[in-house]
Amino acid sequence: MADMFNRFSLFCRRVFYESDTKIFVIVNDFLSLTIIISILAIIFQSVSEFSQYHNFFLTIEYAAVIIFSIEYICRIIGSPKKLSYVFSFFGFVDLISILPTWLHIANLTPIKSIRALRILRFLRIMRLAKVTRFEHLER
């Protein structure tokens, strides 16, 4: 069991931290697209003319949060310094971008106002753009 976890940890490190691998590029492109779609869904969800599509936008929101939650957990598992990632700026942004939706799902009514923090997902795209730009500069 420990061997399987170690292999998974190495896989996560390769996917999220080794920018010279093909899987890193594919995953980051996928996450960038997911972030953009998620942000658009948040914006359209707040426009009253699109209220009939509320359930569609909510489904996009929940799917994105599941993807971002898996990413967050995998980043922790793959990080050589786990606590450094959790307490880093981008670790905090990653957590804050998923936490409001999970709190909303849990129906914690007094805390629902922090759902506006979902727009912080935009900051996640900055990290992906920074990594991609840095990758292209190295070549």
Side-chain angles (χ1 to χ4, degrees):
M1 190 65 133
D3 183 50
M4 187 154 64
F5 181 78
N6 288 336
R7 285 190 298 182
F8 184 68
S9 177
L10 290 173
F11 174 75
C12 290
R13 184 170 300 139
R14 190 169 145 237
V15 168
F16 293 106
Y17 294 102
E18 294 178 9
S19 60
D20 59 339
T21 62
K22 187 174 183 175
I23 187 93
F24 175 89
V25 174
I26 292 169
V27 168
N28 277 296
D29 288 349
F30 173 75
L31 289 172
S32 295
L33 181 63
T34 305
I35 291 167
I36 291 167
I37 291 170
S38 171
I39 290 171
L40 289 173
I42 290 168
I43 292 168
F44 288 135
Q45 193 175 14
S46 66
V47 176
S48 60
E49 286 81 19
F50 296 114
S51 63
Q52 69 266 25
Y53 302 110
H54 176 75
N55 288 338
F56 174 70
F57 296 133
L58 203 57
T59 302
I60 291 173
E61 167 75 12
Y62 291 155
V65 167
I66 289 169
I67 291 167
F68 297 147
S69 298
I70 292 169
E71 176 207 8
Y72 182 71
I73 292 166
C74 288
R75 282 190 184 276
I76 293 171
I77 290 170
S79 176
K81 297 179 180 177
K82 294 168 184 13
L83 286 178
S84 294
Y85 167 71
V86 170
F87 293 108
S88 70
F89 174 74
F90 285 116
F92 183 69
V93 167
D94 288 348
L95 180 63
I96 293 299
S97 70
I98 60 174
L99 196 57
T101 302
W102 286 118
L103 292 175
H104 176 74
I105 291 171
N107 199 18
L108 300 175
T109 305
I111 305 175
K112 282 185 183 179
S113 62
I114 67 171
R115 290 188 73 206
L117 293 175
R118 296 178 305 175
I119 205 67
L120 284 177
R121 290 184 190 149
F122 180 72
L123 293 175
R124 301 179 87 240
I125 215 142
M126 287 177 24
R127 173 186 39 196
L128 296 175
K130 180 179 127 185
V131 168
T132 304
R133 186 182 68 220
F134 184 73
E135 170 69 20
H136 290 294
L137 291 175
E138 286 183 340
R139 291 181 187 187

